[in-house]
Amino acid sequence: VKLLAAAVLAAVSVTGAPPPARVQVGAQEFTFALSRTRVGPGPAIVELVNYGQDTHDLRLQRVGARHVAGTREVPPGDTAELPVTLAPGRYRLWCSIADHAARGMTAALSVR
Ligand SMILES: [Cu+2]
C-alpha cells in the first residue's frame, strides 16, 4: 500500500496541476441549469449543452470586469466547451441570442 501511495504521488507530481474544474450549463427555452453554482478559482471548462429546440450560446463575465468570454452558437443537441481561468468573484452567465436573456436565460456562478 505504501508503494502504491508513493506511485500515485509521483504520478500527480509529474502531471502537475490538477485537471480544470468543470461546470456544465444545460440550456433549454428559456433557462440555464448549472451543474454547480460555486467553483474554486483557476482553470475551468464551462460546457454548454443545448437540450432545447432553438440555437443558444453562452456568455460569461465576472461582475465588475470588462472581458466577456463566450461560446459559438450551439444548435439543438450540440455542446460547446469554453475554457476559462476564473478569478474569485461573482460571474454572470447569459445567452446572447435574440431576447433569450430577458426571457430567463441567465445564471450566476460564484468563484471562491
Ligand atoms: Cu438562447
Side-chain angles (χ1 to χ4, degrees):
V1 174
K2 272 187 180 173
L3 276 175
L4 182 59
V8 168
L9 283 175
V12 168
S13 64
V14 165
T15 53
R22 295 188 77 94
V23 180
Q24 190 183 86
V25 181
Q28 292 241 29
E29 293 79 34
F30 289 94
T31 59
F32 274 154
L34 272 60
S35 62
R36 56 203 295 201
T37 54
R38 185 169 72 85
V39 66
I45 295 173
V46 183
E47 182 187 39
L48 176 64
V49 183
N50 188 353
Y51 295 111
Q53 299 183 336
D54 297 340
T55 292
H56 299 292
D57 69 10
L58 177 66
R59 293 288 179 271
L60 178 78
Q61 184 178 35
R62 187 163 64 86
V63 173
R66 194 181 293 177
H67 178 69
V68 177
T71 66
R72 61 180 170 83
E73 296 191 355
V74 177
D78 201 1
T79 70
E81 288 192 345
L82 177 63
V84 290
T85 301
L86 299 172
R90 276 189 73 73
Y91 283 73
R92 199 169 74 85
L93 289 72
W94 71 99
C95 177
S96 74
I97 294 177
D99 60 350
H100 293 188
R103 288 174 174 233
M105 297 193 77
T106 65
L109 179 68
S110 171
V111 177
R112 56 187 168 91

